Amino acid sequence: MAGRDLRTLFSSNDRSISANEAFTNRQAQWQAVTTGLAEHLRRVNRAGFDVEDLESPRRNILVFHGVGGIGKSTLSRKVEASLVHSEHRPAQWDSPSLDQERVLPVRIDLARSAGMDFERVILTIRLALAALGRPMPAFDLALRRYWEHNHPGEPIEDYLRRGGLLSRFSAAAALPQQMQSALSDVAQALLLPGTVGGALGHGAGALVKALRERRQAVRALAGCGRLADLLQAEPDLDALSFYPHLLAWDLAQLPKDKTVLPVILLDTFEDTGDRTHRDFERLLQRIVWLMPNAFFVVTGRNRLQWAHRSLEGQLDWTGPDAWPGLVTGTTAQTTPQSGGRQVLIGDFSREDCEDYLARRVSRDGRPLIDDAVRRIIAERSHGLPLYLDLSVMRYLDLRRGGLQPRVADFDHDFPALIARTLSDLSSEERHVLRSVSLLSAFSIPLATEVAGMDHDAPALRLTERPFVRESASGTWPFHVHDLIRSAIRNADDASDDRWSDEDWQRAAQRAFRALEAQWRQDPRRDRTVLVGCLQQGLALARDFDLDLDWLADAAFQYVEDFIWEPLAPPAARDTEQGGLRTAANALVETLSAIARRQHEHRERTVSRLSAVLASRLLPEDLVELATYYLAKAQRDLGLTDDSRRGMQRVAEAGGRLALAAGRGLAHLSRLSGDFPAAMEAAGRLGWPGRHQRVLGDVWWVQGDMDRAAAAYLADRSEAEQHAVAGERAMVQAHLAFAVAFTDPLRADDELDLAERLLSPLSLRSTELTARIAALVRDAGFAADLPGRAAVLLAEIGVSGVSYAAAKLQLALCFHHAVLAAHNDLAAGIARLRELTQSGDYTYYVDIAHFMAGLPLPEQSARARWIDGEGRTRERWRNIVIRRRQLLDTAR
């Protein structure tokens, strides 16, 4: 049933605009309703079901909860309409597998604005049942007594008419007659003196007294075991809340062909009170418990806590034994498919958002809002229907002002989102919410510390709200719904307890210090904690112009492990496009460039880090960081002179990266073929400079794979002792490469280990080394090796890691040498000469000649081999000969 959206309709003078109340999706929620109804019917139709059983667990309730503006009330109205008439059911909703003629839905809006009190709730349920055309004798008798006591002299029909309830229910006018009929039947059955009319004229009191004395004479009520107790109780509001038991009993007495299933939809449940004042909630819970043959669908912002034992004393029935369907697990985000009876109503999908906007306002059957604007609104909404609704109104406001709305007009946060979010929070919860909106994720202790509080209760309560999502993965389990968080951070806040700019600044400082404590005090030195603290701390420093402080130490720890998780926080909305304004901006860009170099061409890395250094925003110790990684990228691109100058600057500065720069200089010596210089440099590096890896890199080039493997194994052992996962994975790939030349079987195991160590990391150049090692292992054996090499060469070209191309070509030359494919080998050597013409790795050409037993050309640049050219030539030639012997054996 598509209704007219009157608010939108009255927002424009343009009568050609069609404004409809769009309804989108929610098939999963409808499925939960129909499944719950089917299960409920099976339960109440069992032979052992007893409506007067007050001890059995209750499973007659389904709860939909979610943030304000997610569409809960719309869902509640749509469920009611769909149960009343099948033609009102959305086309995408399946037909329920039950007799709709036997379903009697009644929706009750508990919103404060609806003026619904408990008395009206009871009357609404009874008025809905008036459509059956039958009195509910037990309930009607008790209600008549209650009415006369609490509304003396006021006919119930006058009250119903004045309250608008008569107009809502078509059969409501019959209620007074049905109540009168019930009293007449009782009076007649009791054979009271005088006429029945006369007895009724004395009110219900005389009947109640007579009924208590001779209840067995009224066969229609004789079986209602608790009727006499309720009639003897003081007829106050508390007694009224137990009368639903009588109504449930009356329904159970209906003939089989007249039975009906009441489906009572309680909407806006959050307005029944708060977590401290539960008086109204207690009365409503009694209805649900005392009417086990009715089915209740509750919609509200918060999960029902009835399954919590801690509420004992505040509510009558609590705990998981009483409400098994309301028990929540480790997360609050139960889905319809999970079998729980508390279902979080999720955000719209991107497609649903655009569909909603397309159908909400139209002209001549076509969407009024153009495609580009619909897309940006959908993207900014994060699936929240309230944001879509507010954006439609903004679109019409702009249009009414004579403007054609553009995409840029919807980079906007609505204050209404703040009002809806904060409306039912305590002042302490609002304070915690604003504080944690500074964080992308938080825990309860972190939230308490950021809020500057000395007790956790407000943070605990806040995490139960539907706009706080919980995830088992990640460093901290909770995060605020992205759109709500953005609105709280950026929209104009008109609330009475809104924060000033100074309040936000103080909260940012608290959050910054709290993150530092989380990182420094982490006993496990967990990398996920480091990355989480660094990412959130960078965003705070950037957004609030804080000193970098502990972020410098954290940045150096981040690069120590050679693990390159994405670090750049979301872009600030007020940051100049492409500009660096603060030291935090510069550090974000530095770390992002360092991490992204595994996925970007090295030229991009050089460009980004050069721009950071040119900005002069970084403090001196972090200038060292940017310079070092710039020099590494330059080396990968073959810019040896530039790389050497950068490494020397870092080494001479004597800072935290001095030994790493020493390693870089040793690598540069190796690139140029000065192996003794590289060996000498390695002796000064120690573990901090990864001396064993440097030695391994030198030894394999000499053709001495045993020494190379021993050095790599020593480095791997040191990496394990120091728990440096990135170094361990990196050197394992190098070990596999060295072993692949001489022992293909062992190389299988080493490559398997390298793959396992690399899989959780992001080490692009090391992954290339491992894949080249696989080619070396298969050299001579695999006919498809040149094709595999061509694919890998294309990937290397994308990365910009020039040395990997030369290393790959050397592996191909090994393959051709093993097969004695002279023409292919000559072509491979020519290609290798092209790749090394800059002067770096020119000794690869020499090694290719050594492999094939060929003399070196006259113009060859002689490398400084560790123990002479002759011994090196002999070792490489022997490696090829042994591979040929393996081939012969395999044949």
Side-chain angles (χ1 to χ4, degrees):
M1 180 174 62
R4 295 290 285 169
D5 177 13
L6 297 179
R7 185 167 51 132
T8 305
L9 184 68
F10 280 85
S11 295
S12 174
N13 292 329
D14 188 345
R15 296 290 292 142
S16 67
I17 296 177
S18 175
N20 294 313
E21 187 180 38
F23 182 76
T24 303
N25 203 342
R26 301 306 188 199
Q27 294 105 311
Q29 286 76 37
W30 171 249
Q31 183 65 46
V33 171
T34 57
T35 300
L37 282 172
E39 292 175 356
H40 179 74
L41 279 171
R42 286 194 294 271
R43 191 162 45 251
V44 300
N45 288 328
R46 289 174 187 154
F49 179 77
D50 181 5
V51 75
E52 292 191 280
D53 179 1
L54 299 180
E55 297 181 358
S56 295
R58 293 303 193 252
R59 295 178 172 85
N60 59 331
I61 187 169
L62 176 64
V63 181
F64 293 112
H65 63 101
V67 299
I70 199 67
K72 301 180 296 294
S73 294
T74 303
L75 174 66
S76 180
R77 289 192 297 269
K78 190 62 63 174
V79 168
E80 180 192 32
S82 300
L83 292 175
V84 172
H85 294 294
S86 59
E87 61 266 27
H88 295 161
R89 190 174 65 244
Q92 65 267 37
W93 285 9
D94 296 331
S95 175
S97 56
L98 47 88
D99 185 359
Q100 282 192 249
E101 298 296 326
R102 298 293 179 88
V103 175
L104 184 65
V106 52
R107 179 175 173 273
I108 301 173
D109 189 353
L110 299 171
R112 296 185 186 95
S113 59
M116 184 65 67
D117 57 20
F118 185 72
E119 195 174 85
R120 285 170 62 85
V121 170
I122 294 292
L123 288 173
T124 299
I125 296 172
R126 180 60 185 92
L127 286 170
L129 294 172
L132 300 176
R134 304 172 63 94
M136 300 284 132
F139 177 83
D140 289 350
L141 184 61
L143 179 62
R144 181 63 178 261
R145 180 167 183 254
Y146 170 87
W147 196 262
E148 290 186 355
H149 184 272
N150 292 280
H151 298 267
E154 180 181 15
I156 193 169
E157 53 266 38
D158 290 351
Y159 178 88
L160 297 176
R161 185 179 296 106
R162 189 172 63 253
L165 292 175
L166 279 179
S167 61
R168 178 180 172 187
F169 298 95
S170 58
L175 177 60
Q177 288 74 30
Q178 291 177 12
M179 293 176 65
Q180 195 79 349
S181 173
L183 266 68
S184 297
D185 291 346
V186 172
Q188 192 169 20
L190 292 174
L191 300 175
L192 294 180
T195 65
V196 172
L200 292 175
H202 294 291
L207 287 180
V208 168
K209 183 176 183 298
L211 185 63
R212 283 202 303 266
E213 296 169 354
R214 291 181 287 158
R215 181 159 59 93
Q216 296 303 318
V218 186
R219 288 192 298 272
L221 298 176
C224 188
R226 295 178 177 84
L227 174 61
D229 299 296
L230 288 173
L231 292 178
Q232 289 171 1
E234 180 71 18
D236 54 14
L237 190 65
D238 192 60
L240 179 65
S241 70
F242 288 97
Y243 292 177
H245 171 73
L246 302 176
L247 193 56
W249 186 86
D250 285 326
L251 285 168
Q253 310 315 305
L254 293 174
K256 191 170 184 180
D257 61 342
K258 300 293 184 182
T259 57
V260 69
L261 170 60
V263 179
I264 302 171
L265 300 107
L266 301 175
D267 190 27
T268 326
F269 202 85
E270 68 271 11
D271 276 6
T272 60
D274 55 36
R275 301 302 173 90
T276 303
H277 303 93
R278 296 181 182 266
D279 297 335
F280 193 9
E281 184 178 2
R282 184 174 65 253
L283 300 178
L284 292 170
Q285 191 204 50
R286 286 176 183 168
I287 298 178
V288 180
W289 187 270
L290 296 172
M291 295 188 72
N293 50 351
F295 190 74
F296 294 82
V297 179
V298 173
T299 44
R301 294 191 183 186
N302 308 309
R303 289 177 290 125
L304 290 187
Q305 297 179 307
W306 298 354
H308 292 193
R309 288 193 174 90
S310 60
L311 295 185
E312 186 175 348
Q314 289 183 277
L315 300 175
D316 295 339
W317 295 276
T318 59
D321 295 333
W323 305 97
L326 302 185
V327 176
T328 55
T330 56
T331 71
Q333 300 183 35
T334 308
T335 63
Q337 293 77 23
S338 68
R341 289 300 181 87
Q342 303 229 53
V343 179
L344 178 70
I345 299 185
D347 304 327
F348 281 176
S349 68
R350 181 71 171 270
E351 294 76 15
D352 285 342
C353 290
E354 295 199 37
D355 178 64
Y356 178 96
L357 293 168
R359 292 190 292 116
R360 180 63 182 279
V361 283
S362 59
R363 172 186 281 146
D364 300 327
R366 303 186 63 181
L368 182 66
I369 305 175
D370 63 68
D371 291 349
V373 173
R374 289 205 308 272
R375 279 196 298 271
I376 195 63
I377 293 174
E379 180 182 332
R380 291 272 296 131
S381 73
H382 292 279
L384 189 65
L386 176 59
Y387 185 91
L388 302 177
D389 183 43
L390 294 170
S391 296
V392 169
M393 301 307 296
R394 178 172 175 79
Y395 187 94
L396 294 176
D397 285 344
L398 292 168
R399 194 172 174 277
R400 189 168 57 244
L403 300 173
Q404 177 57 41
R406 301 167 303 163
V407 168
D409 294 323
F410 293 90
D411 185 17
H412 184 76
D413 289 296
F414 294 100
L417 289 171
I418 301 177
R420 290 287 294 269
T421 304
L422 300 182
S423 60
D424 62 338
L425 301 183
S426 68
S427 60
E428 286 188 325
E429 288 172 314
R430 291 197 295 271
H431 181 80
V432 175
L433 175 59
R434 288 189 174 97
S435 299
V436 297
S437 72
L438 294 167
L439 303 173
S440 58
F442 63 94
S443 62
I444 289 170
L446 182 59
T448 299
E449 190 170 353
V450 172
M453 292 184 169
D454 57 5
H455 56 293
D456 289 338
L460 282 166
R461 293 197 302 270
L462 187 71
T463 58
E464 296 177 355
R465 302 292 181 169
F467 53 78
V468 175
R469 305 295 169 84
E470 185 176 0
S471 172
S473 61
T475 307
W476 301 284
F478 303 106
H479 70 276
V480 177
H481 186 286
D482 289 335
L483 186 60
I484 303 299
R485 180 176 176 234
S486 175
I488 291 172
R489 288 284 304 275
N490 301 307
D492 293 331
D493 186 350
S495 58
D496 292 340
D497 59 351
R498 61 187 176 275
W499 278 8
S500 67
D501 290 342
E502 289 73 20
D503 289 328
W504 282 107
Q505 192 69 28
R506 284 190 289 269
Q509 288 282 2
R510 289 196 303 270
F512 193 68
R513 289 301 167 200
L515 289 169
E516 178 187 14
Q518 292 262 312
W519 168 55
R520 293 197 188 277
Q521 296 171 15
D522 175 27
R524 297 178 300 156
R525 302 293 285 175
D526 191 326
R527 186 165 177 86
T528 59
V529 174
L530 162 70
V531 172
C533 292
L534 189 54
Q535 192 162 28
Q536 298 212 75
L538 284 167
L540 286 168
R542 178 199 64 196
D543 294 346
F544 292 91
D545 200 19
L546 306 177
D547 291 336
L548 293 181
D549 198 68
W550 60 272
L551 291 175
D553 291 340
F556 277 104
Q557 185 182 335
Y558 170 76
V559 301
E560 279 177 6
D561 289 344
F562 304 113
I563 304 174
W564 309 111
E565 305 94 331
L567 255 187
R573 295 175 62 186
D574 59 349
T575 299
E576 300 171 36
Q577 188 67 26
L580 298 175
R581 298 181 298 106
T582 66
N585 285 132
L587 181 54
V588 167
E589 178 66 3
T590 299
L591 295 176
S592 174
I594 292 171
R596 287 294 302 167
R597 82 190 199 282
Q598 302 294 332
H599 307 282
E600 295 177 341
H601 197 283
R602 291 298 197 270
E603 288 181 354
R604 172 68 177 147
T605 307
V606 168
S607 174
R608 294 178 69 180
L609 292 176
S610 297
V612 168
L613 291 169
S615 72
R616 299 184 181 278
L617 290 169
L618 289 177
E620 193 57 39
D621 56 343
L622 290 171
V623 167
E624 169 191 356
L625 180 68
T627 302
Y628 172 74
Y629 280 95
L630 172 61
K632 281 175 66 74
Q634 289 168 333
R635 184 187 69 204
D636 291 343
L637 288 171
L639 304 174
T640 308
D641 292 340
D642 291 337
S643 177
R644 182 175 286 106
R645 283 192 291 270
M647 291 294 183
Q648 285 174 340
R649 279 198 297 272
V650 175
E652 291 168 1
R656 286 189 262 199
L657 291 175
L659 288 174
R663 181 177 69 250
L665 291 170
H667 285 321
L668 289 168
S669 295
R670 178 174 56 85
L671 265 58
S672 67
D674 190 352
F675 303 119
M679 292 284 284
E680 182 185 357
R684 298 190 296 269
L685 298 176
W687 155 250
R690 311 301 190 256
H691 65 123
Q692 293 287 3
R693 174 153 56 92
V694 174
L695 290 175
D697 290 345
V698 171
W699 283 120
W700 82 258
V701 176
Q702 316 302 308
D704 195 337
M705 301 307 171
D706 291 339
R707 282 190 179 180
Y712 289 139
L713 280 170
D715 186 76
R716 191 181 74 185
S717 178
E718 289 181 331
E720 289 169 348
Q721 291 171 15
H722 291 85
V724 183
E727 177 66 22
R728 182 187 180 198
M730 185 185 304
V731 77
Q732 177 62 34
H734 286 244
L735 172 62
F737 176 79
V739 170
F741 280 101
T742 56
D743 192 343
L745 289 178
R746 179 185 170 190
D748 285 338
D749 296 333
E750 302 296 356
L751 281 169
D752 285 344
L753 179 56
E755 184 177 347
R756 290 199 302 272
L757 296 179
L758 284 168
S759 61
L761 310 179
S762 181
L763 294 169
R764 181 73 173 277
S765 60
T766 304
E767 290 168 2
L768 296 176
T769 296
R771 292 176 65 185
I772 294 171
L775 296 179
V776 172
R777 175 199 60 191
D778 297 339
F781 294 101
D784 65 342
L785 193 142
R788 289 160 53 193
V791 172
L792 182 54
L793 183 61
E795 295 183 31
I796 290 171
V798 172
S799 70
V801 183
S802 62
Y803 74 82
K807 201 170 192 177
L808 171 62
Q809 193 61 43
L810 182 64
L812 270 174
C813 288
F814 178 54
H815 175 68
H816 299 319
V818 170
L819 296 177
H822 303 300
N823 292 335
D824 289 336
L825 179 60
I829 291 175
R831 177 61 181 146
L832 197 54
R833 188 174 287 111
E834 291 175 11
L835 291 171
T836 60
Q837 61 185 349
S838 66
D840 295 336
Y841 300 103
T842 54
Y843 52 85
Y844 279 2
V845 176
D846 296 358
I847 291 174
H849 284 79
F850 298 162
M851 290 175 176
L854 297 174
L856 293 179
E858 290 296 329
Q859 69 276 20
S860 173
R862 296 296 195 265
R864 294 182 62 203
W865 304 103
I866 297 297
D867 51 3
E869 180 182 312
R871 293 291 304 277
T872 305
R873 172 186 287 273
E874 181 182 352
R875 282 191 291 264
W876 277 111
R877 184 60 182 163
N878 286 336
I879 289 172
V880 171
I881 292 171
R882 284 196 295 271
R883 179 61 58 93
R884 286 177 178 171
Q885 291 170 348
L886 286 174
L887 268 176
D888 291 340
T889 302
R891 289 171 183 159

